[in-house]
Amino acid sequence: MDITQEMNRHTSSELFAEAQNYFPGGVNSPVRAFKSVSGPPLFIKQGQGSRMTDEDGNEFLDFCCSWGPLILGHNHPSVREKVIQTVSKGTSFGTPTRLGNELGKLIIDNHAYLDKIRFVSSGTEAVMSAIRLARGVTGKSKVLKFDGCYHGHVDSLLVKAGSGLATFGVSTSAGIPQSFAQETLVIPLNDQEALEHTLQKHGHDIACIIVEPIPANNGLLLQDKSFLECLRLKAYKHNVLLIFDEVISGFRIGFEGAAGYYNIQPDIITFGKIIGGGMPVGAYGARTDIMSYIAPEGPVYQAGTLSANPVAMAAGYAALQELLQPGFYESMDNKTQQFVATIQDHTSARGYPVQMQQIGSIFWIAFAKDRILRADQIDPQSMEKFKILHHHLLQRGIYLGPSGYEVGFVSAAHSIQDLDYAARIIIEVMDIIHR
Ligand SMILES: *Cc1c(COP(=O)(O)O)cnc(C)c1O
């Protein structure tokens, strides 16, 4: 492999230098800055299907897919046409629209774990609102979360476990009062004992347990089904609401997301990413009695100027309709499994410490000997290997999210040939890394 011939990043470098004048760190969301991999971030100008092209004209097979929303790939024709048709009539009215009803109906009719939903404009907003709802319903204030789950940049959820046995949170960002962080308890994933212990001790103060049922923001930390079932039972027992944060897993692992996959009924589900078909949409949903607490029906206030924006509703509707085609998820799962197995077979045969984790069309490349199910099992040193992988793959036209803690996404637009090509290149780079 020729690594002397570096891909041209001239225009991206210039644009990034210019962006420093306008945005902190030159970006509008921190991971985009490429801080944990090498070189400037790529400025992308267009995408089509499984590929996207940067401002220097380099083309990449994209496994980031806008961090998850693009399950159909870039610029899907039916999404594009529906957006163009809608936008030609205006962009926002601040009133209810027929399109909102249509997307609401499509979701409610095809999702057995929800009776009603409320649209918002991002995953963070969905989570923030779901937490308020849980507090409003239970009259309790604390939140129990898991180390290694990300729920957007909600104040009380940007926390990690304190030192020692203390389960009260310590904030991971400046600007969060200690009193907010202390409303959150943090325990490890997949640990039924810690869960029982914490609920015994603090259950009377805990409004909700929030979990990514498929934790996919800190590697892919697939949980034992028995742990998720235990969450459900214990939450009932202690009169605590169970929130499944399905901002990534919703519509990704099946139309009914992780709730459907594991057949577990959470009390509240949050959505984002795929639900907007590439436009800014989030949502939260629950049973009718829980949702009746939301204003104007109930006392929990939550509102949004651009909520259920018609153009975004149109994109979401067009995208979700495609997901309901028979065989959609089976095909996504099959090709991703095949892709992951090709790489794993090679690395296992050579004895490389590599674990390819996968569920549906989500995968994660972990440089580790054993399966990882908790955040503290990830070796920060292994990220050096990811950095090399990322760099080589960019040179060969393959784009992964710029951090080893990020998962990869396969879209419906990724062909078997695309995946065979990517597996072959990844294997070559694995050989280089472990030489
Ligand atoms: C992406 C994500 C969020 C935050 O969504 P934004 O749209 O980025 O605000 C929250 N929870 C989970 C599980 C996510 O993956």
Side-chain angles (χ1 to χ4, degrees):
M1 150 166 199
D2 185 6
I3 50 164
T4 49
Q5 206 186 347
E6 289 273 315
M7 106 184 142
N8 183 4
R9 289 161 97 158
H10 200 78
T11 314
S12 282
S13 297
E14 276 181 5
L15 288 169
F16 189 47
E18 183 195 349
Q20 310 284 340
N21 300 321
Y22 314 137
F23 316 119
V27 290
N28 290 284
S29 191
V31 223
R32 292 184 195 171
F34 266 49
K35 281 199 136 176
S36 46
V37 294
S38 42
L42 302 176
F43 278 61
I44 300 298
K45 65 176 176 195
Q46 68 184 58
Q48 186 59 50
S50 59
R51 282 152 211 280
M52 57 185 192
T53 309
D54 71 10
E55 292 281 353
D56 288 289
N58 302 304
E59 192 181 87
F60 301 93
L61 183 54
D62 178 20
F63 287 101
C64 181
C65 293
S66 191
W67 304 96
L70 303 184
I71 192 170
L72 300 173
H74 294 272
N75 203 8
H76 188 275
S78 59
V79 178
R80 177 180 66 237
E81 290 316 315
K82 182 102 182 167
V83 165
I84 292 174
Q85 190 196 342
T86 307
V87 86
S88 70
K89 297 176 191 157
T91 54
S92 179
F93 312 113
T95 68
T97 65
R98 184 187 294 274
L99 284 158
N101 281 16
E102 286 173 0
L103 182 56
K105 176 174 167 51
L106 187 74
I107 295 169
I108 299 298
D109 283 357
N110 292 287
H111 199 305
Y113 299 81
L114 295 171
D115 292 336
K116 285 196 175 168
I117 63 172
R118 166 67 60 89
F119 288 116
V120 294
S121 300
S122 72
T124 296
E125 202 187 345
V127 168
M128 187 185 82
S129 310
I131 299 273
R132 185 179 305 142
L133 174 59
R135 287 171 165 158
V137 170
T138 60
K140 300 193 271 183
S141 72
K142 297 212 185 307
V143 174
L144 178 57
K145 85 175 279 282
F146 298 91
D147 185 26
C149 287
Y150 173 71
H151 302 292
H153 64 90
V154 179
D155 274 343
S156 60
L157 296 178
L158 284 181
V159 296
K160 60 176 188 209
S163 57
L165 290 175
T167 43
F168 285 96
V170 177
S171 83
T172 55
S173 163
I176 297 175
Q178 191 51 29
S179 58
F180 288 21
Q182 278 182 352
E183 292 301 309
T184 306
L185 299 140
V186 187
I187 60 174
L189 282 162
N190 226 58
D191 185 341
Q192 297 196 16
E193 242 174 74
L195 175 71
E196 177 58 27
H197 178 78
T198 307
L199 287 172
Q200 285 285 357
K201 202 161 159 203
H202 302 286
H204 57 282
D205 278 338
I206 297 177
C208 58
I209 300 172
I210 184 165
V211 66
E212 282 183 86
I214 295 174
N217 276 289
N218 195 346
L220 181 60
L221 307 175
L222 295 175
Q223 299 297 289
D224 296 329
K225 186 179 179 190
S226 58
F227 178 69
L228 298 171
E229 287 169 338
C230 172
L231 285 181
R232 176 61 285 177
L233 290 175
K234 296 270 155 80
Y236 280 139
K237 184 174 151 201
H238 293 272
N239 197 19
V240 163
L241 297 188
L242 177 62
I243 303 177
F244 271 11
D245 182 355
E246 298 227 43
V247 173
I248 279 191
S249 56
F251 310 105
R252 167 63 63 180
I253 262 3
F255 199 88
E256 293 172 315
Y261 183 87
Y262 293 112
N263 188 26
I264 293 174
Q265 174 72 62
D267 296 300
I268 306 175
I269 307 180
T270 56
F271 299 102
K273 302 196 167 105
I274 291 175
I275 201 173
M279 299 287 275
V281 181
Y284 59 101
R287 292 193 310 269
T288 303
D289 62 315
I290 292 181
M291 290 305 276
S292 72
Y293 277 77
I294 298 291
E297 228 174 296
V300 177
Y301 188 72
Q302 187 273 308
T305 302
L306 289 171
S307 290
N309 170 268
V311 183
M313 294 291 103
Y317 185 83
L320 295 201
Q321 242 188 351
E322 298 292 323
L323 311 184
L324 289 167
Q325 299 300 317
F328 180 87
Y329 289 103
E330 287 81 352
S331 138
M332 298 280 282
D333 189 32
N334 288 340
K335 68 186 181 185
T336 310
Q337 261 186 41
Q338 174 72 48
F339 165 66
V340 160
T342 306
I343 301 166
Q344 185 73 69
D345 287 351
H346 179 87
T347 55
S348 298
R350 300 290 162 99
Y352 303 155
V354 172
Q355 292 284 319
M356 297 293 297
Q357 305 279 313
Q358 177 253 338
I359 185 168
S361 49
I362 309 176
F363 68 91
W364 181 46
I365 304 172
F367 291 94
K369 279 208 230 31
D370 303 307
R371 177 184 161 208
I372 293 177
L373 2 106
R374 293 201 324 253
D376 62 1
Q377 293 166 333
I378 302 175
D379 175 10
Q381 283 300 317
S382 68
M383 295 302 155
E384 282 307 307
K385 289 183 180 168
F386 178 82
K387 188 173 170 176
I388 302 171
L389 176 72
H390 190 268
H391 181 76
H392 281 294
L393 292 185
L394 275 190
Q395 305 302 317
R396 306 289 292 265
I398 296 174
Y399 187 90
L400 296 180
S403 157
Y405 291 94
E406 300 294 342
V407 296
F409 297 101
V410 170
S411 81
H414 285 71
S415 66
I416 301 290
Q417 289 88 323
D418 286 339
L419 295 172
D420 285 350
Y421 170 77
R424 189 159 54 78
I425 302 295
I426 291 171
I427 284 170
E428 281 179 27
V429 178
M430 286 294 182
D431 286 341
I432 295 174
I433 292 173
H434 296 96
R435 198 157 46 195

